[in-house]
Amino acid sequence: MQTNASTSLANNYVSQSIDCLHFIDGQYVSSLNGKTFDNINPATGKVIGIVAEGGKEEVDLAVAAAKRALQGPWKTMSQNDRINVIRRIGDLILERKEELAVLESVDTGKPIWLSGSIDIPRSAYNFHFFADSLRSDGTEAYQMDQVAINYSVRKPLGVVGLINPWNLPLLLMTWKLAPCLAAGNTVVMKPAELTPMTATVLAQICKDAGVPDGVVNIVHGFGPNSAGSALTEHPDVSAISFTGETTTGKIIMASAAKTLKRLSFELGGKNPNIIFADSNLDEVIETTIKSSFINQGEVCLCGSRIYVERPAYEQFLEKFVAKTKELVVGDPFDAKTKVGSLIGEEHFNRVKGYIELAKEEGGTILTGGRSPEGLEQGYYLEPTIIVGLDGNCRTVREEIFGPVVTVIPFDTEEEVLAQANDTHYGLSASVWTNDLRRAHRVAGQIDAGIVWVNTWFLRDLRTPFGGMKQSGIGREGGKHSLEFYSELTNICIKL
């Protein structure tokens, strides 16, 4: 729910200029050449502040600070003290929850209820979770009869570059930063240029929590020929963790190859949502509304390819269209709003281009496809349902990353599995059925990093998370994150 306090905060942030500086070696600093770029509020299309634009010089300074910090108090800090610092970061995020939620909604255009109920609490929990994991996590030990014993020692990688997307800025940045710090590394973060504000605040939160200067650094900027490429090419950066679009991932991979950096990628998705006729349609509709349109469909896990078994197809469409029409598109700080603004003009035009392409490909728009009346300022788009397309159409095959879904009927398991797997992506999938054997059978044959059965976005942070094919490299979560952010040394002692 919207609160008077959040409304007041929002009005304050929207009415004043909010500037974002780099954070290097414990201090906020401008770019050496004074360069900046505008930060746009996507809900209004207006400038809300300026952002320092960094490049190679700022990245060099940040990496040097991080490299020095590796040998400083962060290295000598006891594990228990580091756990307490990491937990404290989560506590401070919760103490500033309302402020951070407002900043996130101003920066992204998402509804304030979403920022306040999911983005910020989960950001805090990421630190709490990995602090607890560090306390309980162990390493391997093997005894070779009575000859020798082997045991593993976990060590930090060094300086790690974290490159973040714009759709869930604080949530996904903390998802990387928490395990990276837990493993003892130092960090240079590059937030998405479209959403710099909460990351900028996070740097101060880390310092207030007791993180030594130089351990956490931020350089704002762009990708090619800017802060992003400087970070991925830097010889003193040991690893890059990137969440974002697949094409950018390929560019980063090529750049990182020069220094053989360790890579973790969570990339794009074109996720299937498979609905069998024996499932509970009311339950399916309630969750599918979320998996289609939450966060304006700007979530890599959204189920944008919906496949419905033919006996349930017409009934599903009737209910799905009706519920979609009830979604209120509007001001992120209006309590009635369920769908806010898309991230910016370029992305807005891209998503609208796919809707026009769907018409050219023979698709029919059952609802949506337009900007709501009265919302000419900002980048708003009605939730859109498209039918009449087959699996060869670009609208079905390519990631749109907006409030746009296609619905396609199917007749057999074999048919829908073939369609679900006929993609370059393999991030997630959902399967809806009350047949237990079918649930196991179908879920096990889908090429995706995570498959939900009769649910969506239900996450246990201990489990592996990541994509197959062009949806990513590696896995995050629990021990998988700690393994990525650390080196293991095996020590063999002859008895």
Side-chain angles (χ1 to χ4, degrees):
M1 286 289 290
Q2 178 189 19
T3 66
N4 291 332
S6 67
T7 304
S8 177
L9 272 172
N11 291 335
N12 185 43
Y13 282 123
V14 171
S15 63
Q16 68 178 356
S17 177
I18 311 166
D19 298 338
C20 295
L21 300 177
H22 311 300
F23 190 83
I24 299 174
D25 206 8
Q27 302 295 325
Y28 286 107
V29 296
S30 301
S31 296
L32 294 177
N33 59 10
K35 290 182 69 175
T36 63
F37 59 93
D38 290 337
N39 187 22
I40 308 294
N41 178 353
T44 64
K46 297 180 179 178
V47 176
I48 54 174
I50 60 172
V51 186
E53 181 180 343
K56 184 179 185 303
E57 294 82 3
E58 289 74 24
V59 169
D60 285 345
L61 289 172
V63 172
K67 192 174 179 181
R68 288 193 301 271
L70 274 173
Q71 305 304 319
W74 192 237
K75 180 179 180 179
T76 58
M77 186 180 291
S78 71
Q79 178 170 289
N80 190 61
D81 286 345
R82 184 184 298 154
I83 289 170
N84 291 335
V85 167
I86 292 170
R87 281 201 67 86
R88 181 63 178 152
I89 297 171
D91 294 342
L92 291 178
I93 288 173
L94 291 179
E95 288 181 16
R96 300 178 69 169
K97 173 184 171 182
E98 188 169 52
E99 173 196 359
L100 290 167
V102 169
L103 287 174
E104 204 76 318
S105 288
V106 169
D107 232 3
T108 63
K110 70 176 64 184
I112 185 64
W113 64 263
L114 184 60
S115 296
S117 64
I118 294 181
D119 293 61
I120 309 307
R122 167 63 192 279
S123 299
Y125 181 58
N126 286 337
F127 286 100
H128 291 159
F129 172 82
F130 281 106
D132 293 342
S133 294
L134 185 60
R135 197 182 298 277
S136 60
D137 184 61
T139 56
E140 302 164 301
Y142 300 97
Q143 187 168 338
M144 300 170 62
D145 296 325
Q146 300 301 315
V147 177
I149 187 169
N150 294 269
Y151 63 91
S152 299
V153 175
R154 194 180 298 281
K155 302 175 183 178
L157 284 174
V159 179
V160 178
L162 306 180
I163 303 177
N164 210 47
W166 47 256
N167 60 327
L168 304 167
L170 190 63
L171 189 161
L172 291 177
M173 183 62 83
T174 58
W175 178 233
K176 300 177 186 301
L177 180 61
C180 191
L181 294 180
N185 300 287
T186 58
V187 176
V188 179
M189 303 188 291
K190 194 202 86 65
E193 59 270 19
L194 296 173
T195 52
M197 291 199 291
T198 51
T200 304
V201 174
L202 178 62
Q204 184 63 50
I205 288 175
C206 290
K207 183 168 183 173
D208 293 344
V211 176
D213 291 349
V215 173
V216 173
N217 305 273
I218 293 179
V219 178
H220 296 288
F222 301 91
N225 303 311
S226 186
S229 58
L231 188 58
T232 59
E233 294 170 2
H234 202 290
D236 291 332
V237 173
S238 301
I240 296 288
S241 179
F242 168 73
T243 298
E245 197 266 332
T246 299
T247 301
T248 306
K250 294 176 181 179
I251 295 171
I252 292 174
M253 193 172 190
S255 297
K258 301 171 186 176
T259 50
L260 291 178
K261 287 177 175 40
R262 185 176 295 190
L263 298 174
S264 174
F265 286 168
E266 196 262 281
L267 305 175
K270 188 70 173 178
N271 310 301
N273 181 5
I274 301 171
I275 300 164
F276 287 94
D278 67 336
S279 56
N280 182 324
L281 269 189
D282 290 333
E283 185 181 359
V284 169
I285 295 296
E286 180 183 359
T287 302
T288 300
I289 287 289
K290 297 174 185 176
S291 67
S292 299
F293 305 124
I294 197 168
N295 204 54
Q296 301 71 248
E298 295 168 331
V299 179
C300 56
L301 297 168
C302 278
S304 55
R305 292 186 292 148
I306 303 174
Y307 298 98
V308 186
E309 194 172 16
R310 199 172 299 275
Y313 180 73
E314 294 298 335
Q315 186 182 7
F316 170 84
L317 277 180
E318 181 182 352
K319 292 187 174 187
F320 186 46
V321 170
K323 284 292 185 181
T324 299
K325 288 180 176 179
E326 294 176 4
L327 296 175
V328 176
V329 182
D331 179 357
F333 294 94
D334 189 322
K336 299 187 296 294
T337 294
K338 294 299 180 185
V339 178
S341 166
L342 294 180
I343 190 63
E345 182 177 12
E346 181 180 351
H347 186 61
F348 172 77
N349 290 333
R350 179 179 180 275
V351 175
K352 288 196 70 175
Y354 272 105
I355 294 172
E356 294 305 312
L357 175 63
K359 297 175 185 177
E360 296 172 11
E361 292 178 321
T364 299
I365 312 297
L366 295 186
T367 186
R370 299 170 297 182
S371 295
E373 293 183 7
L375 291 172
E376 286 75 20
Q377 289 186 325
Y379 306 107
Y380 298 93
L381 188 63
E382 294 173 342
T384 304
I385 300 172
I386 304 171
V387 296
L389 299 176
D390 61 36
N392 295 317
C393 295
R394 286 179 55 199
T395 312
V396 176
R397 301 190 66 84
E398 298 177 12
E399 185 179 36
I400 299 174
F401 215 64
V404 180
V405 297
T406 56
V407 186
I408 299 174
F410 71 90
D411 295 298
T412 66
E413 275 185 36
E414 293 75 17
E415 175 192 356
V416 76
L417 279 168
Q419 293 183 76
N421 289 332
D422 184 19
T423 173
H424 295 302
Y425 297 108
L427 186 56
S428 73
S430 297
V431 177
W432 291 88
T433 179
N434 284 328
D435 184 327
L436 179 62
R437 291 182 176 180
R438 172 188 281 160
H440 285 290
R441 186 170 61 242
V442 173
Q445 295 181 74
I446 296 175
D447 298 331
I450 183 169
V451 179
W452 284 289
V453 177
N454 296 334
T455 187
W456 178 77
F457 208 63
L458 183 59
R459 292 282 291 117
D460 182 332
L461 301 193
R462 296 171 296 182
T463 60
F465 177 81
M468 298 181 181
K469 304 177 186 176
Q470 294 188 25
S471 284
I473 297 173
R475 293 294 182 269
E476 298 174 296
K479 67 177 183 180
H480 307 283
S481 288
L482 292 175
E483 286 172 355
F484 173 76
Y485 289 113
S486 61
E487 293 281 15
L488 284 175
T489 296
N490 184 75
I491 297 175
C492 177
I493 298 179
K494 186 177 181 181
L495 300 178

